[in-house]
Amino acid sequence: MKKWAVAVAILSVSGVAVAAAPSTHGEIPGVVGINHVGFTVPNEAQAVKFFHEVLGCEKAYEFGPFEDKKGDLMKKMLNVNPRAVIDHLTMMRCGEGSNIEIFQYTAPDQKTTYPLNSDMGGFHIAFYVKNEDAAVKKARELGLRVLEGPVPIKTGPAAGQTVNYVIAPWGQQLELISYPKGMAYEHDTKVRLWAPQAGY
């Protein structure tokens, strides 16, 4: 019996409801890379201004609103409340890396607090910077909440990187990270994490 089928059988016997599991193994074909990271903010205009002025991201396009006033397209397409409305969204390109998609939603069952990293669904967005100390100093000068750091990682596979969390004005967790000379894991594998100035 395939491992997905075993997992479903075990959870079904235990009385835990599970979603239908894949019936085959293997990768989704044609995956090239991460196109964007999407997230919802309380004030999209504020967030767009922040990501542009503080992190140098550039707006590519925007649109909205998007909704289905009578049907259930929003539920079927996006797994949100059928009456949810995407008031507006903006897609931005950030430096030499990937893109971010910033949403402002209205929904009857909307939660308005950000999860911590330790919560289910917790997340952060890490921005690679060329000079960690200079980046963190500027974040402090801008009045951002800057957590403990910069913290240099000196042991383990991540040795060589320096990290510092900062909090956006609306509570979103961001990370400034740098590893200009690479990391220790590179001695053990051919896989390389992406970093712009390292040429990865």
Side-chain angles (χ1 to χ4, degrees):
M1 185 182 294
K2 294 181 178 179
K3 63 180 182 180
W4 278 109
V6 171
V8 171
I10 292 172
L11 290 172
S12 297
V13 170
S14 67
V16 177
V18 295
S23 58
T24 59
H25 297 286
E27 300 174 355
I28 293 176
V31 174
V32 176
I34 295 174
N35 177 265
H36 69 272
V37 175
F39 49 88
T40 300
V41 298
N43 185 317
E44 185 215 13
Q46 175 197 31
V48 169
K49 182 178 180 181
F50 173 86
F51 282 105
H52 175 63
E53 294 184 354
V54 176
L55 293 163
C57 302
E58 296 289 342
K59 179 168 65 176
Y61 65 83
E62 60 184 318
F63 67 85
F66 181 80
E67 62 181 317
D68 182 0
K69 293 183 178 181
K70 296 182 179 180
D72 57 0
L73 176 64
M74 297 298 283
K75 175 67 175 179
K76 289 181 176 179
M77 179 180 174
L78 299 169
N79 196 36
V80 297
N81 188 290
R83 303 285 75 80
V85 179
I86 299 174
D87 300 307
H88 203 260
L89 73 81
T90 298
M91 185 74 80
M92 306 185 79
R93 169 72 183 267
C94 296
E96 299 172 39
S98 190
N99 313 301
I100 57 174
E101 188 176 24
I102 306 171
F103 290 87
Q104 183 170 322
Y105 263 96
T106 302
D109 53 359
Q110 186 176 51
K111 295 180 176 65
T112 57
T113 57
Y114 271 94
L116 299 176
N117 271 342
S118 53
D119 295 331
M120 295 297 110
F123 74 100
H124 69 278
I125 302 174
F127 289 86
Y128 191 95
V129 296
K130 294 181 178 180
N131 185 312
E132 186 79 16
D133 290 333
V136 172
K137 179 182 178 182
K138 185 63 175 181
R140 288 196 173 99
E141 290 174 354
L142 291 170
L144 298 179
R145 182 185 171 199
V146 179
L147 302 188
E148 182 71 20
V151 177
I153 309 301
K154 298 181 179 180
T155 61
Q161 68 173 249
T162 305
V163 300
N164 212 140
Y165 270 71
V166 300
I167 308 299
W170 57 93
Q172 185 171 354
Q173 299 171 118
L174 307 174
E175 181 183 3
L176 304 176
I177 182 171
S178 191
Y179 41 95
K181 296 181 180 180
M183 286 187 274
Y185 82 92
E186 296 171 11
H187 299 295
D188 302 318
T189 177
K190 293 181 180 180
V191 176
R192 293 292 182 269
L193 296 175
W194 176 89
Q197 95 242 33
Y200 298 160

